Amino acid sequence: MAGERLLAGIEAGGTKFVLAVGTSPTRIVARHTIPTRSPEFTLAEAAEWFEAHGRIDALGIGSFGPLELDSSSSGWGKIATTPKPGWSNCDIAGYFGARLGVPVGFDTDVNAAALAEYTFGSGAAASSLAYITVGTGIGGGLVIDGKAVHGAAHPEMGHIFPRRRALNTDFGGICPVHGDCLEGLACGPAIKARWGASLSELPEDHEAHGVIADYLAQLCHTLFAVSAIELIAMGGGVLKAPGLLDRVRQAAAQLDGGYLPGGSRHRITAPGLGDDAGVIGALLLADCA
Ligand code: ZN
């Protein structure tokens, strides 16, 4: 439509890039998914898809990290040192800014999703929210009073160390840096490495459900205790296991033991935007760029 802004968004993940254009963050008019290959190939393929939609006014990128988000740094807009081959120091925001000639909003994939949930999803009535994804890794973004929390860089919630239960310490974890950090113990590949199957494939009474719920509940309790946020929206592939979110809620309540002030105002829920939180968040970053 003449005069309408056209926003572009990229949810840049380690295995796929989700691309979208929309006339607002929630009015997506086209979307496309491409596999993540080398930066040269992937960025060019994404740019070509956007160029086919004519004049774009702004781009938002929610990316896998770690990222340089300090706007006063010459490294702003880059992916920092990552084990993903070829992607260290990739100037992802700079590439699209130069090629498409538009302002670029840039944040982590999980901060983008947290902003989307806060603005349009489960957090519409909350003052503060964390978005956690549990899939090939574990990541989290934090929004307080409408702003994504950055600090020195950005949160890396997957790399806290949960308490290991007695009789539950024989698995060393798979994080290449920390071993048995939360991601090393409870992400999808960790579950497969430990029990040979995903949670969804394991029987309902298998110990894995309780063990994983306990680890994830420790993250929730920590977030509530540290930041007093109201809401945690928890999604990702592992959370598709039937009953897991309920188990996490119950385990978090048990861990807290009724101590934290705020009580029932601390909530754990599924993302209101489902799997679209990331891509809507990227469009929101474009809208604010
Ligand atoms: Zn780790």
Side-chain angles (χ1 to χ4, degrees):
M1 216 182 295
E4 222 167 8
R5 255 160 78 80
L6 195 60
L7 305 173
I10 303 175
E11 183 186 8
T15 55
K16 64 181 180 180
F17 272 40
V18 181
L19 317 175
V21 291
T23 52
S24 79
T26 52
R27 285 165 62 207
I28 294 173
V29 295
R31 72 163 75 201
H32 185 53
T33 300
I34 59 174
T36 307
R37 287 176 266 189
S38 70
E40 295 73 22
F41 199 90
T42 312
L43 302 190
E45 193 178 5
E48 278 161 29
W49 187 81
F50 288 126
E51 284 162 351
H53 288 85
R55 174 72 204 165
I56 280 163
D57 293 289
L59 172 72
I61 304 170
S63 177
F64 70 92
L67 306 180
E68 177 53 82
L69 296 175
D70 178 358
S71 55
S72 68
S73 160
S74 61
W76 178 87
K78 290 184 180 175
I79 294 175
T81 305
T82 168
K84 195 164 173 57
W87 285 86
S88 289
N89 298 314
C90 172
D91 185 8
I92 185 167
Y95 174 89
F96 286 104
R99 176 147 173 182
L100 302 177
V102 295
V104 176
F106 184 58
D107 212 323
T108 61
D109 46 2
V110 281
N111 264 345
L115 283 166
E117 280 294 312
Y118 178 88
T119 312
F120 303 113
S122 58
S127 66
S128 50
L129 168 150
Y131 173 89
I132 310 286
T133 180
V134 187
T136 52
I138 297 180
L142 192 55
V143 171
I144 296 179
D145 293 334
K147 286 206 159 50
V149 172
H150 287 147
H154 49 79
E156 283 288 356
M157 299 179 195
H159 297 272
I160 65 168
F161 292 97
R163 177 168 54 170
R164 307 288 305 268
R165 307 287 174 184
L167 307 177
N168 183 20
T169 52
D170 52 337
F171 177 62
I174 65 159
C175 176
V177 182
H178 310 114
D180 64 348
C181 65
L182 181 68
E183 178 172 295
L185 291 169
C187 70
I191 294 167
K192 278 221 162 112
R194 182 168 183 181
W195 291 293
S198 72
L199 276 190
S200 299
E201 292 161 344
L202 292 167
E204 213 175 279
D205 58 354
H206 193 283
E207 59 155 359
H209 298 281
V211 171
I212 297 303
D214 174 58
Y215 288 145
L216 297 177
Q218 291 190 53
L219 171 59
C220 294
H221 178 71
T222 299
L223 279 169
F224 290 143
V226 166
S227 69
I229 52 163
E230 288 182 43
L231 188 68
I232 295 174
M234 187 176 273
V238 170
L239 266 293
K240 299 211 188 308
L244 181 59
L245 191 64
D246 281 335
R247 287 177 194 264
V248 172
R249 268 191 210 110
Q250 284 161 19
Q254 237 169 23
L255 285 171
D256 176 46
Y259 177 80
L260 289 178
S264 61
R265 290 205 296 277
H266 292 303
R267 290 175 292 128
I268 304 169
T269 183
L273 302 171
D275 294 336
D276 280 349
V279 74
I280 290 173
L283 291 167
L284 198 53
L285 293 174
D287 207 17
C288 302

